[in-house]
Amino acid sequence: MTAMTTGHTSRADANRRRILDVALAELLRDPDASMDQIARAAGVVRRTVYGHFPSREALISTLTDEAVESLAAAHAAGRAGVADPAEAVARSALAVWEIADRYRLLVALAQRTVTVQGIRERLTPVREACAELLQRGLDRGTFGSPLPAPALAYVHEQILFGVMEAVNDGLLPPAEAEGAAAVAVLTAAGMSPERATALVAGLSG
């Protein structure tokens, strides 16, 4: 590869990264932002945006992929090295919420374009890791649920989505959402509200 080709590739990559970063900011500010608005905000011509993303749906799909990658990394970091399954679930939920809060409006937007099924498929690795944590907790008696761990992992996922939507609709202050989400997933797994609240408060303090 020649230096000229390398330079062109790096410029193209930098343009693509800038478009994605600006698009996320614009869509969070205005969920109906058009490709023209995004191009203007990114300081590029419309053709450049379409050169990287053939449609608005493709752009949102790419942003959703990046959001899921960030969520998966946060979930892994939250549970890493934590032996107690309840603490691991709480830490991973708190870590995920820090990322999810940034992307919560994008998730609502993506549900219009990527489809809920598409988002669910992207989250499969996170859900499987969550199911393993829940199974450990069920085996130890830390958790108690009539649902098997894989099904309970789906419930946890929907709780987090539900909390995001509640914040988006103004039903829950964003500042309260992180702790509330973590307590909600722990109580859904069978912990008492008192124990779950105390655990999350200790981790958040």
Side-chain angles (χ1 to χ4, degrees), residues 108-123:
L109 182 64
Q111 287 176 340
R112 298 188 216 164
T113 57
V114 180
T115 75
V116 173
Q117 183 60 33
I119 295 172
R120 184 174 294 145
E121 289 170 1
R122 288 165 163 84
L123 288 170

Side-chain angles (χ1 to χ4, degrees), residues 31-72:
D32 296 317
S34 67
M35 295 288 265
D36 283 343
Q37 283 176 254
I38 291 166
R40 284 196 301 272
V44 297
V45 296
R46 196 177 138 187
R47 186 179 62 213
T48 300
V49 176
Y50 278 105
H52 291 285
F53 307 100
S55 66
R56 187 172 181 275
E57 289 72 23
L59 175 58
I60 293 172
S61 181
T62 301
L63 286 170
T64 304
D65 286 340
E66 291 196 345
V68 169
E69 288 175 13
S70 296
L71 290 171

Side-chain angles (χ1 to χ4, degrees), residues 8-174:
H8 178 74
T9 302
S10 62
R11 279 197 304 277
D13 289 344
N15 267 344
R16 184 177 188 276
R17 180 72 264 156
R18 174 164 175 71
I19 290 166
L20 285 169
D21 290 343
V22 169
L24 178 61
E26 287 296 304
L27 288 166
L28 295 184
R29 186 182 61 77
D30 174 11
D32 296 317
S34 67
M35 295 288 265
D36 283 343
Q37 283 176 254
I38 291 166
R40 284 196 301 272
V44 297
V45 296
R46 196 177 138 187
R47 186 179 62 213
T48 300
V49 176
Y50 278 105
H52 291 285
F53 307 100
S55 66
R56 187 172 181 275
E57 289 72 23
L59 175 58
I60 293 172
S61 181
T62 301
L63 286 170
T64 304
D65 286 340
E66 291 196 345
V68 169
E69 288 175 13
S70 296
L71 290 171
H75 192 275
R79 68 179 188 273
V82 182
D84 176 54
E87 183 179 342
V89 167
R91 284 187 180 278
S92 61
L94 290 170
V96 161
W97 188 263
E98 286 185 21
I99 303 297
D101 191 44
R102 181 185 182 213
Y103 289 113
R104 59 187 167 80
L105 290 171
L106 174 65
V107 169
L109 182 64
Q111 287 176 340
R112 298 188 216 164
T113 57
V114 180
T115 75
V116 173
Q117 183 60 33
I119 295 172
R120 184 174 294 145
E121 289 170 1
R122 288 165 163 84
L123 288 170
T124 297
V126 177
R127 194 183 313 112
E128 290 173 347
C130 183
E132 289 177 15
L133 278 182
L134 293 167
Q135 187 62 60
R136 277 171 42 203
L138 291 168
D139 291 343
R140 293 186 185 189
T142 305
F143 301 140
S145 173
L147 297 173
L152 190 54
Y154 271 94
V155 172
H156 278 203
E157 183 178 292
Q158 291 307 309
I159 286 172
L160 291 174
F161 278 135
V163 174
M164 285 184 205
E165 290 180 9
V167 175
N168 288 346
D169 290 344
L171 303 175
L172 182 67

